[in-house]
Amino acid sequence: MLALLGALAVVVWPSSDLLGHHDDPVGAMAVGELEGRPVAVSVGSGYDDTTLRMWDLTTGDPIGEPIVAHPVGVVALALGEVNGRLVAVTGGYDDAVRIWDLTTRELIGEPIRLSNTERIDAVAVGEVDGRAVFVAAGDWGDAAQRLPVHVWDLATHEAFGEPLVGHTDLVFTVALGQANGRAVAVTGSVDGTTRMWDLATRKPIGDPLIIGGGAGDVVVGQVDGSRPRSGVKSSTR
C-alpha cells in the first residue's frame, strides 16, 4: 500500500503517465491483472473523492468510469481473486470493508463492519489451505479483546476463525505470506511491535519484533528460500 500520496495525479515510470487524476490525495494503490491486461487500481482518501479508479498499465488509459467506493475517504486497498475474477477489497472512514468485482464494477454482497471501529486502516488478501481470505484492522478495537485483527473468507464474507489478538494499540498495517508452507500474517502497530501469526491456527509465531516507534508499513518477502522476513517502516501516526 502506498499511503496518502501527496500528489493527486497518478504516474507510472518509465513507460507513460496515467491519463487522469483523483481530486483528493491517493489513499492506496495496487497492481493486478484484469482480463489478461495489467492494471493499476487507486482509491481517493478524501471527502471530495472517494472513488476507486482503474488504469491500463500498457496504455496509461483509464478503464471505465470511477467507482464510488465508500461514502467517505478510502484508506486501504488490496486485490485478490474470487472464482477467477479480479476483486478489490477496500476499507474506509465509514468503518466498513467493501468487496468489488472489477469486471462488472459492482459491489459484492453487503459492506462488512468490524465491531467498535471508526476507520479501516489496513486490508490484505491471501490464501489459507486453498481458501482465499482477507485480513482487516480498524483504528479502534474492543479493549477487552486487545484490538483484534479480523480474518474473513473472501468468497463467502464470513469470519474465518477467531481474530488475531495481541496488539495493545492501533494496528495500521498488515501483510500476508507463506512460511514453511503455512499461511502467515505480519501486522504492525502503534504499540511499537510487529507480530507474525499462523493464519490456520490464529496463534502468534515467536515473540513480537520491538521496533521502538509505531509501524507504518510492513511487507513480506523471502531470503535464501527461508521463512518470510518482515520489512518495517516506522511511523509516528
Side-chain angles (χ1 to χ4, degrees):
M1 182 180 78
L2 303 180
L4 296 177
L5 299 180
L8 302 187
V10 181
V11 181
V12 171
W13 290 277
S15 59
S16 65
D17 290 351
L18 297 184
L19 304 178
H21 64 84
H22 285 274
D23 296 324
D24 275 309
V26 176
M29 294 191 68
V31 173
E33 187 173 288
L34 179 67
E35 299 178 329
R37 56 178 169 171
V39 298
V41 181
S42 59
V43 289
S45 66
Y47 285 87
D48 294 324
D49 187 340
T50 65
T51 60
L52 180 152
R53 299 169 186 250
M54 290 186 289
W55 320 83
D56 188 311
L57 285 178
T58 302
T59 66
D61 294 330
I63 301 173
E65 295 297 320
I67 300 168
V68 179
H70 290 253
V72 289
V74 190
V75 293
L77 167 70
L79 301 184
E81 283 194 3
V82 175
N83 299 324
R85 298 170 74 90
L86 184 66
V87 300
V89 180
T90 60
Y93 285 95
D94 59 345
D95 81 345
V97 175
R98 298 168 189 255
I99 302 173
W100 301 90
D101 185 318
L102 294 183
T103 300
T104 65
R105 312 174 67 79
E106 295 179 349
L107 182 67
I108 302 174
E110 296 296 323
I112 299 168
R113 300 188 182 277
L114 279 62
S115 62
N116 196 26
T117 60
E118 292 185 355
R119 180 181 71 218
I120 306 300
D121 276 303
V123 295
V125 172
E127 188 174 286
V128 181
D129 297 331
R131 297 174 63 179
V133 301
F134 70 90
V135 177
D139 76 329
W140 296 106
D142 185 337
Q145 297 186 50
R146 301 181 66 196
L147 300 129
V149 177
H150 297 266
V151 186
W152 303 80
D153 186 298
L154 185 57
T156 66
H157 303 182
E158 296 177 350
F160 184 77
E162 296 298 318
L164 311 178
V165 178
H167 284 293
T168 58
D169 211 327
L170 314 184
V171 177
F172 273 131
T173 183
V174 60
L176 304 188
Q178 296 281 325
N180 300 321
R182 300 181 68 83
V184 299
V186 179
T187 55
S189 169
V190 176
D191 65 10
T193 69
T194 62
R195 296 170 183 259
M196 185 179 293
W197 311 84
D198 185 315
L199 284 178
T201 65
R202 244 72 76 220
K203 301 296 184 183
I205 301 173
D207 295 326
L209 172 64
I210 299 174
I211 61 173
D217 290 289
V218 295
V219 294
V220 172
Q222 184 169 292
V223 178
D224 297 329
S226 63
R227 64 184 284 181
R229 308 291 181 87
S230 61
V232 183
K233 181 179 79 175
S234 180
S235 172
T236 58
R237 60 174 176 169

